[in-house]
Amino acid sequence: MNKLYITAIILVLFFAGCKQTDINPQNKKAKYVFFFIGDGMGLAHVNLTEAYLSSLDSVIGIQKLTMSEFPVFGMATTFAENRYITGSAAAGTALATGFKTSIGTIGLKSNHTDTIFSIAYYAKQNGMKVGILSSVGINHATPAAFYAHQSKRNQYYEIALQLAKSNFDVFAGGGFIDPKGKNDSLPTAYKITENKGYKIAKSTEDFNNLNSDDSKVMLVSPVLLSEAELPYYIDQPDDFYTLADYTKKSIELLDNKNGFFMMVEGGKIDWAAHANDGATVVQEVIDFDNAVKVAYDFYLLHPDETLIVVTADHETGGLAVGWDGMHYESNFAILKDQKYSLGVISDSINYFLNSHKNITFDNVLSFGEKYLSMGSLTNKETNQLLSAYNEFLETEVEEDFLYENINILAYTWIEIFNQRAGIGWTSHSHTGLPVPVRAIGAGSELFDGYYDNTDIPKKIAEAIGIKMIQ
Amino acid sequence: MNKLYITAIILVLFFAGCKQTDINPQNKKAKYVFFFIGDGMGLAHVNLTEAYLSSLDSVIGIQKLTMSEFPVFGMATTFAENRYITGSAAAGTALATGFKTSIGTIGLKSNHTDTIFSIAYYAKQNGMKVGILSSVGINHATPAAFYAHQSKRNQYYEIALQLAKSNFDVFAGGGFIDPKGKNDSLPTAYKITENKGYKIAKSTEDFNNLNSDDSKVMLVSPVLLSEAELPYYIDQPDDFYTLADYTKKSIELLDNKNGFFMMVEGGKIDWAAHANDGATVVQEVIDFDNAVKVAYDFYLLHPDETLIVVTADHETGGLAVGWDGMHYESNFAILKDQKYSLGVISDSINYFLNSHKNITFDNVLSFGEKYLSMGSLTNKETNQLLSAYNEFLETEVEEDFLYENINILAYTWIEIFNQRAGIGWTSHSHTGLPVPVRAIGAGSELFDGYYDNTDIPKKIAEAIGIKMIQ
């Protein structure tokens, strides 16, 4: 008896003592998972935002965003199976399923036959609730990669129907692109989604009335552009619902004893970068980080069981915090003088054009003062603007970016404005640069190092403690 | 007695058991430290190199460099005290001493009065041997920050005299810039260095005869450009000593029972990036990584006691792996067709100009075929070249980059060549982008996360287990 008793004490102390030294949290499973994807958000987009925020206090340096306070920093390559510079469909599929695929493909291997399932699907299979959020159309490439399987990313209607069948718990942010199909002739996808048991909340009142008793919810912003996406943050009045608001509401709807997986996309960082519109990029990154902050506040309440991963699908624009004409100088603080996105400024100039017979060069100069507080121009800037004005007089040319047609006068003003800030761009498309991965919480140590985007969902699965079997 | 005996058993088992679970190696001290600085080497410079290497095998993706195999990846901000976009002196001082200073300052605070000492100095104080290696002048900004204290980085002679007094064990790679002062009138710094007890090895024979019995050695490349720096790797015959050779020899000279600290700078990645010469950047990164590989081989022999940290002082060129005119396409494999650096091509064209009365546009076209295998040109490319040719006829203009004057015809050929590869640049100066930090070995876990460049030497000191007291 006595010997057994002593042996028991020895063993208890032995294991108790060992437990105390097990300070490595890597055995803690992630019960609450936030997967943030800043579309097009490269290293430079975040750094520019942080340098801008610091410049507002006239301090040379950075003011860290919430995502940059995370202790783990990794880097992921982004290339698609058939092109080094990826697109949102192939990259979204890689981040969702752990497989490379071809450009434009959603949730299928590049043979367009083999269906591949996302980490959201496996989380749901394992009893977690699932939420998919985006500031752009909820059937756009990035969110689609988490629930749909289509050979072409622009099969928006078919993607919407797959959303309706997904059985995921919450969709929030943007609405459906092509809700009645490309020819606007099919039964609306909203109705079909409702028929599959989803409550669709479109108004402010709907939003406020939702609570944790509601299951299967589609939460659509009351204010949408082109039927589907939220306006740019820079253009939004203060009382608009932001990505942060949708994140907060979704936590309320998803929180349950079996945990949840939530993907949140900041979709328009990419769009502003396609247009090389620096100030709008900065505001979109701030909007996105505000949503990360909501997740971080949740993490602080459940630090042992929450994992937050923040990354991007690719870099857009070849953005650099430095431009040739400024040499080693920068002036980020002027970005606060831009009150609207390039798209809105372009629309305003087009509106002016409609209500006047013509646009004089004096009119052009007045736009710079009105929209960007440009003050007097250097000779070089004047010539740059004159050259655009002459092109405009010849053809009323519009620059065609992926998501926007922009008046060349507006474009040139923003170009000069970016140059003055010391911001350089190499492209209106994506680039092949790897993207940062920031992480905090349960399993976050898995995200250190330099790896491929297909590794990310596998690491999330490992952190949760589930398997993705394709 | 019996009780004491049992208590002893309990305690022994208790601590023995705990020790077994202490798998975290962070308590191992770094005895052998390699600090690699790729001057101007941003995220894109490494990624472009890895994509290029993969493209040689016709594989879309990357072929990882040695530095990219390291398990720890962090990111460091680079801004100087008085300018967001830093320079090599202020950044070198931050990386060496852990203090921000002003642009152009070496080893002093920005008041130019307070002397600050480097991690190399403290390593030496603590009994480790110290080596400082560079592919550029050994009194250039980055290496100088580890042993010198000057208010102006171009006080090369004064810096050389401080090298002679440093008492560090090995200097290797480039030679002295301005060895006799700016007016070429002072006693040669080489002689002064010898008088301070250094053996100066300049020939291949000297190199081969050095061994671990030699203390205080200055190892200067037998082939130097502008008196001080190694030729670009792309321009070197196979039998030249490379940065890897100097790293290997320095290990042999420094290895001792008290350990060593070695700083190795790849100095001309920056220079090639200033000139926006992509293929030369890629070859410089490969050359630099070959030196990292030498350290990695040493690490494999002493994994518990070796720390390797690889980072950069800043990004140069606003390099992006993507250029507007190519949209989403790239063609990295063509970079192998460039056999010489832009500088050598420019010199060749200038030589041609000296031996001919004039240069016809047909001559210009022939240069593209000769140096870059360009084949036929698009209309846009022809116009780009014609425009440069017209400028050349007017003024024989040379583009003036930080370290090179380049014939505009050569520059334009390289510009077109980079565009075809799908490489974009925003600047001929530095940018403010943060730089990757890669690490492996004892204490490497300290280098995860997102921090400032001034944190890096402090982390190295912590890994070694010494204090930097200023």
Side-chain angles (χ1 to χ4, degrees):
Chain A
M1 264 310 270
N2 199 28
K3 264 191 185 170
L4 266 179
Y5 180 72
I6 289 165
T7 309
I9 289 176
I10 290 171
L11 287 174
V12 164
L13 275 171
F14 180 76
F15 286 107
C18 293
K19 203 171 174 199
Q20 279 183 330
T21 65
D22 180 17
I23 52 162
N24 192 330
Q26 75 190 22
N27 294 319
K28 284 273 164 56
K29 294 299 175 197
K31 179 178 172 185
Y32 309 108
V33 178
F34 295 88
F35 189 15
F36 284 90
I37 302 176
D39 201 306
M41 187 182 76
L43 177 64
H45 302 64
V46 175
N47 184 252
L48 173 62
T49 304
E50 296 182 329
Y52 164 73
L53 290 172
S54 184
S55 77
L56 294 182
D57 297 331
S58 304
V59 174
I60 292 166
I62 62 163
Q63 187 177 307
K64 278 193 180 179
L65 295 172
T66 297
M67 66 176 105
S68 292
E69 300 284 3
F70 291 3
V72 177
F73 195 103
M75 189 62 68
T77 46
T78 67
F79 52 86
E81 188 176 308
N82 60 341
R83 204 176 65 195
Y84 192 74
I85 298 180
T86 194
S88 287
T93 299
L95 291 172
T97 69
F99 284 91
K100 293 283 187 204
T101 191
S102 54
I103 295 298
T105 306
I106 303 275
L108 296 172
K109 287 192 185 172
S110 59
N111 60 15
H112 288 177
T113 307
D114 298 340
T115 303
I116 39 183
F117 295 93
S118 76
I119 178 67
Y121 170 88
Y122 289 105
K124 182 74 189 165
Q125 292 284 99
N126 280 273
M128 297 167 88
K129 287 198 172 187
V130 168
I132 303 293
L133 288 72
S134 179
S135 56
V136 299
I138 201 70
N139 52 346
H140 205 262
T142 309
F146 286 82
Y147 61 79
H149 313 277
Q150 293 293 333
S151 58
K152 289 185 183 144
R153 58 177 283 177
N154 63 357
Q155 288 164 333
Y156 291 115
Y157 189 74
E158 292 76 6
I159 292 172
L161 300 190
Q162 292 186 319
L163 179 153
K165 287 198 281 188
S166 70
N167 219 27
F168 287 177
D169 303 276
V170 170
F171 292 94
F176 284 131
I177 307 162
D178 294 346
K180 295 179 177 180
K182 291 210 189 312
N183 302 321
D184 215 22
S185 58
L186 298 168
T188 167
Y190 286 109
K191 188 73 196 163
I192 293 168
T193 304
E194 274 181 333
N195 289 343
K196 290 285 181 187
Y198 282 89
K199 178 185 262 190
I200 299 186
K202 275 192 167 176
S203 68
T204 306
E205 202 184 348
D206 291 345
F207 182 101
N208 291 329
N209 287 336
L210 287 174
N211 61 55
S212 55
D213 295 336
D214 292 300
S215 63
K216 294 184 77 175
V217 172
M218 182 170 173
L219 199 52
V220 182
S221 169
V223 181
L224 294 174
L225 301 181
S226 314
E227 288 193 306
E229 92 255 13
L230 274 64
Y232 281 122
Y233 190 53
I234 198 173
D235 298 324
Q236 290 176 22
D238 283 346
D239 60 349
F240 272 33
Y241 288 134
T242 63
L243 201 58
D245 295 319
Y246 291 108
T247 304
K248 198 167 186 179
K249 192 72 183 181
S250 296
I251 290 174
E252 194 185 321
L253 298 173
L254 293 171
D255 195 3
N256 79 100
K257 66 178 170 35
N258 294 323
F260 59 76
F261 170 91
M262 192 189 296
M263 190 290 291
V264 185
E265 186 206 17
K268 294 183 81 167
I269 300 166
D270 174 65
W271 298 22
H274 274 287
N276 293 359
D277 178 0
T280 302
V281 163
V282 160
Q283 292 301 322
E284 286 301 298
V285 171
I286 290 171
D287 180 51
F288 179 67
D289 193 64
N290 287 341
V292 173
K293 173 76 165 55
V294 170
Y296 180 68
D297 289 340
F298 181 88
Y299 158 85
L300 291 176
L301 299 175
H302 311 274
D304 292 342
E305 298 178 298
T306 304
L307 170 66
I308 310 176
V309 178
V310 184
T311 188
D313 50 355
H314 51 74
E315 196 272 351
T316 302
L319 174 62
V321 187
W323 175 68
D324 215 21
M326 289 279 281
H327 306 287
Y328 292 86
E329 299 302 324
S330 12
N331 190 2
F332 309 125
I334 64 165
L335 295 179
K336 72 175 183 306
D337 293 334
Q338 184 178 328
K339 304 294 185 205
Y340 302 99
S341 69
L342 169 56
V344 167
I345 295 173
S346 173
D347 289 348
S348 299
I349 292 177
N350 286 338
Y351 181 79
F352 179 95
L353 182 61
N354 287 339
S355 59
H356 292 69
K357 281 258 152 35
N358 56 26
I359 291 186
T360 66
F361 193 63
D362 273 346
N363 294 145
V364 175
L365 290 173
S366 74
F367 298 147
E369 195 48 42
K370 180 175 176 188
Y371 298 116
L372 301 162
S373 311
M374 294 292 281
S376 58
L377 300 185
T378 65
N379 287 343
K380 212 165 178 174
E381 289 171 341
T382 305
N383 289 336
Q384 200 171 337
L385 207 57
L386 264 173
S387 161
Y389 180 59
N390 289 331
E391 248 190 281
F392 170 79
L393 289 182
E394 277 170 35
T395 57
E396 291 191 8
V397 70
E398 290 202 330
E399 300 277 347
D400 180 19
F401 305 119
L402 188 53
Y403 298 107
E404 294 174 291
N405 290 316
I406 298 292
N407 177 298
I408 193 175
L409 299 173
Y411 177 76
T412 306
W413 269 123
I414 292 292
E415 193 177 34
I416 295 171
F417 186 70
N418 274 254
Q419 290 167 350
R420 278 195 187 182
I423 297 171
W425 303 88
T426 73
S427 180
H428 291 89
S429 304
H430 308 159
T431 72
L433 285 175
V435 290
V437 184
R438 297 159 168 96
I440 191 170
S444 59
E445 70 282 355
L446 297 168
F447 295 86
D448 188 14
Y450 178 42
Y451 39 85
D452 191 56
N453 58 1
T454 54
D455 294 322
I456 296 176
K458 295 173 198 163
K459 289 173 189 284
I460 293 176
E462 189 180 341
I464 299 174
I466 61 177
K467 286 213 187 313
M468 296 176 75
I469 304 158
Q470 305 282 3
Chain B
M1 264 308 270
N2 200 29
K3 265 192 184 168
L4 266 178
Y5 181 71
I6 290 165
T7 308
I9 290 177
I10 290 172
L11 287 172
V12 164
L13 275 170
F14 181 76
F15 287 107
C18 294
K19 201 171 177 198
Q20 277 182 331
T21 64
D22 180 19
I23 54 165
N24 192 330
Q26 74 189 25
N27 295 321
K28 285 272 164 54
K29 295 298 177 198
K31 179 177 172 184
Y32 309 108
V33 178
F34 294 89
F35 189 14
F36 283 91
I37 301 176
D39 201 305
M41 186 182 76
L43 177 64
H45 302 63
V46 175
N47 184 252
L48 172 63
T49 304
E50 297 182 328
Y52 164 74
L53 290 172
S54 185
S55 77
L56 294 182
D57 296 331
S58 304
V59 173
I60 293 167
I62 62 163
Q63 187 177 306
K64 279 192 178 179
L65 295 171
T66 297
M67 67 176 101
S68 293
E69 301 284 3
F70 291 3
V72 177
F73 195 103
M75 189 62 68
T77 45
T78 66
F79 52 86
E81 187 176 308
N82 59 340
R83 204 175 67 193
Y84 193 74
I85 299 179
T86 194
S88 287
T93 299
L95 291 172
T97 70
F99 284 90
K100 292 285 187 202
T101 191
S102 53
I103 296 298
T105 306
I106 302 276
L108 297 172
K109 288 192 187 173
S110 59
N111 61 15
H112 288 176
T113 307
D114 298 341
T115 302
I116 41 185
F117 294 93
S118 77
I119 178 69
Y121 170 88
Y122 288 104
K124 183 74 188 163
Q125 293 283 98
N126 280 272
M128 297 168 87
K129 286 197 172 188
V130 168
I132 303 293
L133 287 72
S134 178
S135 57
V136 299
I138 202 71
N139 51 346
H140 205 263
T142 308
F146 286 81
Y147 61 79
H149 312 277
Q150 292 292 333
S151 57
K152 289 187 184 143
R153 60 177 282 176
N154 64 357
Q155 287 164 333
Y156 290 116
Y157 188 75
E158 292 76 6
I159 293 172
L161 300 191
Q162 292 187 319
L163 179 153
K165 285 198 282 187
S166 71
N167 218 27
F168 287 177
D169 304 274
V170 171
F171 292 92
F176 284 131
I177 307 163
D178 294 345
K180 295 180 180 179
K182 292 211 188 311
N183 301 322
D184 216 22
S185 57
L186 299 168
T188 168
Y190 286 109
K191 189 73 198 161
I192 293 169
T193 305
E194 274 182 332
N195 289 344
K196 291 286 181 184
Y198 281 88
K199 177 184 266 191
I200 298 186
K202 275 192 168 176
S203 68
T204 306
E205 201 183 349
D206 291 345
F207 182 101
N208 291 329
N209 287 338
L210 286 174
N211 61 55
S212 56
D213 297 334
D214 291 299
S215 63
K216 295 184 75 177
V217 173
M218 183 172 172
L219 199 51
V220 182
S221 169
V223 182
L224 294 174
L225 302 181
S226 312
E227 286 194 306
E229 92 255 12
L230 272 63
Y232 282 121
Y233 191 53
I234 198 172
D235 298 324
Q236 290 176 21
D238 284 346
D239 59 350
F240 271 37
Y241 289 133
T242 64
L243 201 56
D245 296 319
Y246 290 109
T247 304
K248 199 167 183 178
K249 192 72 182 179
S250 297
I251 290 174
E252 195 185 321
L253 297 173
L254 293 170
D255 195 4
N256 78 100
K257 66 177 170 38
N258 294 323
F260 59 76
F261 170 90
M262 190 189 296
M263 192 291 291
V264 184
E265 187 205 16
K268 293 182 83 168
I269 300 166
D270 174 66
W271 299 21
H274 274 287
N276 293 359
D277 179 359
T280 302
V281 163
V282 161
Q283 293 301 321
E284 285 302 298
V285 171
I286 290 171
D287 179 52
F288 179 66
D289 193 63
N290 287 341
V292 174
K293 174 75 166 55
V294 170
Y296 181 68
D297 289 343
F298 180 87
Y299 157 85
L300 291 177
L301 299 174
H302 312 275
D304 292 341
E305 298 178 299
T306 304
L307 169 67
I308 310 177
V309 177
V310 183
T311 190
D313 51 354
H314 51 73
E315 196 272 354
T316 303
L319 174 62
V321 187
W323 174 68
D324 215 22
M326 289 282 279
H327 306 287
Y328 292 86
E329 300 302 325
S330 13
N331 190 2
F332 309 125
I334 65 166
L335 295 179
K336 72 176 183 307
D337 293 334
Q338 183 178 329
K339 304 294 185 206
Y340 301 99
S341 68
L342 169 56
V344 167
I345 295 174
S346 173
D347 289 349
S348 299
I349 292 178
N350 286 339
Y351 181 79
F352 180 95
L353 181 61
N354 287 339
S355 58
H356 291 69
K357 281 259 151 37
N358 56 24
I359 291 186
T360 67
F361 193 62
D362 271 349
N363 294 146
V364 174
L365 290 174
S366 74
F367 298 147
E369 196 48 41
K370 180 174 177 189
Y371 298 116
L372 301 161
S373 310
M374 294 292 282
S376 60
L377 299 185
T378 65
N379 287 343
K380 211 164 179 175
E381 289 170 342
T382 306
N383 289 336
Q384 200 172 337
L385 208 58
L386 264 173
S387 160
Y389 180 59
N390 288 331
E391 248 190 281
F392 170 79
L393 290 182
E394 278 171 34
T395 58
E396 291 192 10
V397 69
E398 290 201 332
E399 300 276 346
D400 179 20
F401 306 120
L402 188 54
Y403 297 107
E404 294 175 291
N405 292 316
I406 298 292
N407 178 300
I408 193 174
L409 299 173
Y411 177 75
T412 306
W413 268 123
I414 291 294
E415 193 176 34
I416 296 171
F417 186 70
N418 275 254
Q419 290 166 351
R420 278 195 186 181
I423 297 171
W425 303 88
T426 74
S427 181
H428 291 89
S429 305
H430 308 159
T431 72
L433 284 175
V435 291
V437 184
R438 297 158 168 96
I440 192 170
S444 60
E445 70 282 353
L446 297 169
F447 295 87
D448 188 14
Y450 179 43
Y451 40 84
D452 190 58
N453 58 0
T454 53
D455 294 324
I456 295 176
K458 296 173 197 163
K459 288 172 188 287
I460 293 175
E462 188 181 342
I464 299 173
I466 61 176
K467 286 212 187 314
M468 296 177 75
I469 304 158
Q470 305 282 4

